[in-house]
Amino acid sequence: MQFDKPIALAADHGGYELKEAIKAHLDELGVAYEDFGTDSTASVDYPDYAVVGCKAVQDGRCALVILCCGTGVGMSMCANKMQGIRACCCSDTFSAELTRRHNNANALCLGGRVVGAGLACKIVDAFLNAEFEGGRHQTRIDKMMALQNQ
Ligand code: RB5
């Protein structure tokens, strides 16, 4: 996997430990990242961290964002409300790969209370290694993104 920009990482307290495990994994892979917090298991509000992570993608500062909370669900709900963000909450590698190939997802959401660090790192690999296929999928994404105006 080769990216010209870093991967954004953000988590709430429920995803903090998983975020740290993913950072160690990305270090091993030599993949650059930017950590937008949180920095401990002290209770915080996941929307605040979804916003900072997604803004880094919206601004073009980061290539993709990985968001961790307890379930990954709250992060994905927030991320999918942000302009231009296509987030997928994944607990399996197949969905993580296909959401890049078909949905051109730019946000991966993971649940620190759902998946262990080992599986989460495999999910991250599947997400980062896959490439958008374009073609008929772009037509569908154009329709999807038009929903933001409804
Ligand atoms: C925090 O307790 C928890 O609600 C949050 O991490 C996440 O699971 C929300 O979807």
Side-chain angles (χ1 to χ4, degrees):
M1 60 190 80
Q2 201 78 342
F3 296 97
D4 54 359
K5 295 173 188 171
I7 305 300
L9 296 175
D12 75 352
H13 54 290
Y16 167 72
E17 286 175 3
L18 184 54
K19 173 172 68 68
E20 296 306 298
I22 292 169
K23 280 164 61 179
H25 181 61
L26 295 180
D27 283 338
E28 278 177 21
L29 295 175
V31 173
Y33 57 82
E34 271 195 62
D35 183 355
F36 292 92
T38 186
D39 300 325
S40 76
T41 55
S43 184
V44 293
D45 297 333
Y46 58 82
D48 299 336
Y49 292 88
V51 166
V52 288
C54 290
K55 274 193 174 161
V57 173
Q58 288 177 321
D59 295 347
R61 176 170 161 179
C62 290
L64 300 166
V65 60
I66 299 174
L67 300 167
C68 303
C69 65
T71 58
V73 174
M75 284 293 201
S76 63
M77 287 181 169
C78 294
N80 278 316
K81 292 192 182 300
M82 296 191 63
Q83 204 76 25
I85 299 297
R86 291 175 298 280
C88 184
C89 181
C90 289
S91 302
D92 68 278
T93 57
F94 184 75
S95 300
E97 177 185 338
L98 268 289
T99 200
R100 289 281 302 129
R101 286 173 51 189
H102 289 190
N103 313 127
N104 200 13
N106 50 15
L108 172 66
C109 303
L110 296 163
R113 297 171 184 157
V114 180
V115 292
L119 175 57
C121 290
K122 294 286 185 195
I123 293 170
V124 167
D125 290 349
F127 188 77
L128 296 184
N129 281 317
E131 286 183 18
F132 179 51
E133 291 174 8
R136 70 187 189 281
H137 302 297
Q138 186 58 56
T139 306
R140 295 161 186 167
I141 287 168
D142 291 344
K143 291 185 179 184
M144 182 208 303
M145 299 317 281
L147 298 174
Q148 292 185 144
N149 304 320
Q150 285 191 19

